[in-house]
Amino acid sequence: MNKEELIFTRGNKQKVRYNKMIDIIRDFILEDTESEYQFTVGTDSQNADHTKMVEVIAIHRVGRGGIFFYRIEHLTRISNLKQKITTETSRSLELADGLVEDLELQLLEKDIDINKLNIGFQIHCDIGRNGKTKALIKDITNWVTSCGYTCAIKPDSYCASGIANKFSKF
């Protein structure tokens, strides 16, 4: 699917297309280019007769609030835990890569170099030291960091294990 066709839901329940979401994020940053920002992307999923996959983008203006968006997709059931976590991480990385690229272009149109802003980019993974996912920590965190992102796992991965988890419940 073309990313421009993707529909995200804002935290206030407003539905927006991908390009509008990028505009909203750009405008959020332009309101205060001196602040520190933390961009996080995380994905979580739950199984029933299918897999409900929820991708979340959260932008935290450190010390001053934030905004978030989420997207829900229903997939053929993924019953293998490693495959499920790999799919979640892959989707987060793909979404983050597109977000960074598109946001950078949007800011350049306003003569702002994204590299001169105080923005951190993180991928939040729904894995942790307790439970079945602990065996995946090394591989997943190495993968994410090799892609140039900071990787957060439980209990620090609020985007995946908090926000996405909330919307993935049936």
Side-chain angles (χ1 to χ4, degrees):
M1 179 181 280
N2 186 343
K3 69 182 174 184
E4 285 79 19
E5 296 173 9
L6 298 177
I7 304 290
F8 284 81
T9 304
R10 293 182 71 174
N12 65 6
K13 305 291 187 218
Q14 176 190 20
K15 304 252 188 243
V16 295
R17 290 199 178 279
Y18 177 85
N19 288 338
K20 177 67 175 170
M21 177 184 70
I22 297 298
D23 291 344
I24 292 167
I25 294 169
R26 177 205 59 213
D27 293 345
F28 184 69
I29 293 169
L30 291 175
E31 287 173 9
D32 184 359
T33 58
E34 299 301 314
S35 281
E36 175 186 353
Y37 291 89
Q38 196 59 245
F39 280 64
T40 57
V41 177
T43 303
D44 189 27
S45 61
Q46 301 291 329
N47 282 334
D49 58 334
H50 61 280
T51 298
K52 183 179 183 183
M53 190 76 56
V54 180
E55 301 166 329
V56 173
I57 298 169
I59 302 89
H60 177 211
R61 186 182 292 146
V62 178
R64 302 196 48 228
I67 57 175
F68 74 92
F69 303 84
Y70 65 94
R71 187 175 90 82
I72 298 172
E73 187 173 354
H74 298 275
L75 308 173
T76 303
R77 184 179 168 91
I78 304 170
S79 55
N80 178 285
L81 180 62
K82 184 175 182 179
Q83 180 184 3
K84 196 167 105 159
I85 297 298
T86 301
T87 300
E88 290 172 6
T89 305
S90 175
R91 291 172 77 100
S92 291
L93 287 166
E94 183 178 344
L95 185 57
D97 286 345
L99 171 68
V100 171
E101 181 181 313
D102 295 333
L103 184 60
E104 183 174 24
L105 291 173
Q106 285 284 326
L107 289 170
L108 278 175
E109 288 179 7
K110 302 289 184 182
D111 294 322
I112 296 175
D113 181 351
I114 196 170
N115 298 308
K116 293 185 178 174
L117 298 173
N118 189 0
I119 300 177
F121 294 94
Q122 296 184 349
I123 302 296
H124 285 194
C125 298
D126 192 33
I127 57 176
R129 289 177 176 69
N130 300 320
K132 298 175 186 174
T133 61
K134 66 183 172 189
L136 304 174
I137 291 173
K138 184 178 179 185
D139 289 343
I140 296 295
T141 57
N142 286 343
W143 177 23
V144 169
T145 56
S146 74
C147 292
Y149 298 99
T150 300
C151 183
I153 65 170
K154 292 176 187 176
D156 301 317
S157 59
Y158 64 85
C159 204
S161 59
I163 302 170
N165 181 270
K166 173 185 175 181
F167 293 106
S168 69
K169 301 293 186 200
F170 284 94

